[in-house]
Amino acid sequence: MLFAILLTCFAFLVSGQQCSAQETLQDPAWKYVLRRPPQRWFQPDFDDQNWLDGAGGFGDADTPGARVGTDWSTNNIWLRRTIVLENIPENPSLYIHHDEDAEVYINGRKVLAVKGYTTKYQVMPLDEDGKTALKTGRNLIAVHCAQTGGGQFIDVHVIDGKNVPALPAPKRKERPFQSDLITKWGEAVTADNVWQQYPRPGLVRQNWTNLNGNWDYAVTDRTVDTIPNAWDGKILVPFCLESRLGGVQKLLHSDQALWYHRNFDAKRDPQKRLMLNFEAVDYECRIFVNGTETGHHKGGNTPFSVDATDVIVDGKNELVVRVTDDTEESQLRGKQSRTPRGIWYTQVSGIWQTVWMETVPVRHIADLKISTNVDTGSISVTPVTTGPAVDGETIRLSVVSGDQMLQGSSQGTVKVVVPDAKLWSPSSPHLYDLKLAILDASGNIVDEISSYAGIRSVGKAKDADGHWRMTLNGKPVFHWGPLDQGWWPDGLLTPPSFEAMVWDIDYLKDAGFNMIRKHIKVEPRLYYHYCDQVGMLVWQDQVSGGSSPRWTRLGPDPMDAEWTDADHSQFMTEFESMVNELENYPSIVVWTPFNEAWGQHKTVEVGEWAVQRDPSRLINIASGGNFWPVGDIVDEHRYPHPGFPFDAGRYADFVMVVGEFGGHGLPTEGHLWDPNRRNWGYGDLPKNKDEYRARYIESIRLLTELKQQGIAAGVYTQTTDVEGEINGLVTYDRRVIKLSADELRKIHQPLLAE
């Protein structure tokens, strides 16, 4: 979706030659408004001191030929600028690249009115009336442009028509849009209290140090490969460079590198290893400790660790992180964009989740794989160990069940059977506490970690009418939840706090949703832990990126994009990393490799890999995307109200779901990311809250009918407003709830009735 127009009006001083276009580009001399001004807005004596200031041009950089200095994404824009002419050009003309219904005034006189749009600059000579509008000295240029759909652009210059200037590129943006919105949790964030929770709930040790807080930062040319000697300022980790809470709000360009710096205390111990842990860094980074490169990671969405043992010293140590981020190249980026508009949001660069360190034994548990069996009530744990094996070592698993401690031991996978096991479900999210230990031949503990497990099974089965339904613990469950993007006005991809993140989940649970579709984002691991605790099912999307094929939806002619082997390999590396990190969380019940054909490629190969890699969950190969017969689910996106192209022959072997619908928008004054842009929802915006509520109720009524026809799940768009999208159940800053949880629960009752 493209909702932007570009208008740049450059003026030239004429004194036998044109004045420098580059100087004009750097001069933010335009005044503009996005709502209709008083009738005399184009007159020289009109008072525009309360208009906004902006540099040319205005609009959407994706429009062909666009040269954007200021973003513009509303239907109309009005601009005023004063130029100075020492002489009247010999062939006075307008050099214009315009969108729909552009009007140009000189000194209060209309000199041009054009319909439609162009895709390149055109020279339009002024007629005699237009020529006489110009005068030596000060001239007021006023412009109005309208746009109704697609990309948009307008750029006007006063030139000598026989001496057309070469236009330089506009000065690139150095800062993202800075909104006034902030959450109540964001207001409370300080360097001392920022994200203090232990970040790895599935593998817990007591001896750890949180490294969040104020770090030094610097932005350099990407060619700079040596650690800077000076720093630009402070950044609050774990918030990204572009975010308000990070304290910098600067864009990182693809020809730049972002550097982080801080000190930490450590002590060398021959029996211990020091691990530096990064929950997420976008996108590619190198880690230096005391000037020595100790690690490298590529991929912006999953955790990684660096062993710094061999380079630390007793006392103070120096940690430096170098980051590069090609947001719109082939890398996986999700909803991030260098030109945010519509469904695309502000880019995120650098550290955006918790950084921490821990000391571990030389021989230690680095990871674990948990599986459960609902028929036998068993919990099986396979540890991934690191370091030289201890002679005669065994692995001991302890499971807490009520007031009992059940134990088992083995040299590899350990299984414990829980008598009368309680199964995990949304209505009864029972979890078992685990302890896993490496023991030496004498029974001494070499390493020990804490974890947990929920015993549950995920599957599919046909109902009495022959429709495929999703099952949990062998029983059919209608999956009902929102599209949840996990974006925040103050932290962008990073929730301002753990409590803020929990608030979203609690609201949805109270509203009667039993599932969340986590859309094109991997959350902090604590997010999934909390879903485990409260009983919220999760459909987990893979983060998207790269080139896309033509979107054929559920048509019989699906297409794949052509990807290089290297890009596909990186996609699979990041997909597998996500599965590896999240597979132990019982709340996750569906993996979704692709969304709406975004970066969709090698679909059958990716789907078959996912089915084999994790047979304990369902695979939704392409939510709303190009349908290939692989995995378990066929998924239609339909806006604003839900629907499905039923075709028993094509979809007979698949669970049918409506993976997106709704998107009913309701603007809330004072809680908009940018009140001067086109804020939108799907379909025409309702006139008031009553109409908004009525549309939501109608969507649920239609989904209830579809359920009777065989639809097994529905996903409503969406939990919150996000930047220009105002189709959330809650405003972006979480301060206004458009439909209360109690009201939603009542509306949802017919849908969830058995």
Side-chain angles (χ1 to χ4, degrees), residues 94-115:
L94 298 179
Y95 195 33
I96 183 169
H97 185 335
H98 65 84
D99 213 276
E100 305 166 25
D101 301 335
E103 300 172 319
V104 181
Y105 298 81
I106 297 177
N107 296 322
R109 188 184 306 176
K110 185 184 290 188
V111 298
L112 182 70
V114 289
K115 300 290 186 180

Side-chain angles (χ1 to χ4, degrees), residues 557-635:
D557 54 345
M559 298 183 66
D560 272 341
E562 293 293 330
W563 278 37
T564 67
D565 291 343
D567 286 343
H568 173 67
S569 176
Q570 182 62 27
F571 174 90
M572 293 305 301
T573 295
E574 295 187 46
F575 188 17
E576 185 169 16
S577 178
M578 180 182 72
V579 174
N580 289 343
E581 293 297 341
L582 302 182
E583 65 181 333
N584 289 338
Y585 295 96
S587 55
I588 298 177
V589 293
V590 172
W591 300 117
T592 304
F594 299 111
N595 173 75
E596 289 189 355
W598 301 352
Q600 190 171 348
H601 71 285
K602 294 183 182 278
T603 305
V604 173
E605 179 180 324
V606 172
E608 289 176 346
W609 177 90
V611 169
Q612 183 176 8
R613 173 61 183 80
D614 189 2
S616 71
R617 291 181 173 88
L618 301 180
I619 305 302
N620 183 5
I621 186 59
S623 182
N626 297 349
F627 176 66
W628 296 77
V630 63
D632 305 285
I633 296 171
V634 56
D635 182 328

